[in-house]
Amino acid sequence: MKNSERAASTRANLVLAAARHFDQHGYDGTTLNSVCAEVNVTLGALTFHFRCKAALASAVVQEGVEELRRVSTECSAAGALPELSLLVRQVVTALQRNVLTRAAVRLIQEEHVVSDWLGVFREEVLRLLERASAAGGLFAGVRPDTAVRLVMYVVEGAMAEARRPADGEGPTGPDFAEVWRAVLNGLAADAR
């Protein structure tokens, strides 16, 4: 293996290991030594790629947000609520299955890394809910700004569930579809 290939592999392994630690322990609970131990590299090797913990966290967020943006742009369906449903399900699936996305969102929420992704996602959810409301698709009395909060709570809850150890308790991935149907039944005008 060439030096450049080895360096790229080491960097990727460091980012992935850091994502696992940030996802489980947050920024403050993660040490560079624990990341190094998982990848079996020295602290010097880590600092060759990332000058500090903040730079490593930024790399995790960059990769995680890139994946979230990719799945968000793939959402296209006929009608605002079907498009919202597709968007939320794809984002939640990414958060459930991809440690980089979960770690990225956690680091953003903890305000250790600045990213506009959460704001952009929230604005897209609001845009779709406003479209649904204007078309008469939301239940009377459901305001789009209130519905946005509900959607964000559901997404954050799904992310927290994904972070829990797999002990057989709590909702699993397939259960989210049922939760999401319940949310839509509370929002959609034609669901009553």
Side-chain angles (χ1 to χ4, degrees), residues 61 64-66 68-69 72 87-88 91-92 95 100-127 148-149 151-157 159-160 163:
V61 168
V65 165
E66 186 177 302
L68 288 167
R69 288 187 186 187
S72 296
L87 172 66
V88 169
V91 165
V92 166
L95 291 169
L100 283 166
T101 60
R102 279 194 313 278
V105 172
R106 182 169 185 169
L107 290 166
I108 294 165
Q109 288 174 325
E110 290 179 352
E111 298 181 352
H112 289 288
V113 179
V114 175
S115 171
D116 66 345
W117 184 81
L118 281 173
V120 169
F121 176 69
R122 188 181 192 291
E123 287 172 16
E124 180 62 10
V125 169
L126 178 60
R127 183 187 69 77
V148 166
R149 282 196 183 114
V151 170
M152 296 305 284
Y153 293 155
V154 168
V155 170
E156 288 175 16
M159 183 176 65
R163 189 173 287 123

Side-chain angles (χ1 to χ4, degrees), residues 28-86:
D28 293 331
T30 297
T31 66
L32 294 179
N33 286 333
S34 64
V35 173
C36 289
E38 183 173 331
V39 180
N40 198 26
V41 298
T42 66
L43 190 57
L46 185 144
T47 57
F48 172 79
H49 295 280
F50 305 100
R51 70 185 188 294
C52 60
K53 185 163 125 177
L56 182 57
S58 290
V60 169
V61 168
Q62 181 180 352
E63 289 193 30
V65 165
E66 186 177 302
E67 174 65 12
L68 288 167
R69 288 187 186 187
R70 187 189 64 72
V71 300
S72 296
T73 58
E74 292 176 353
C75 297
S76 180
L81 286 181
E83 190 171 338
L84 173 67
S85 186
L86 183 59

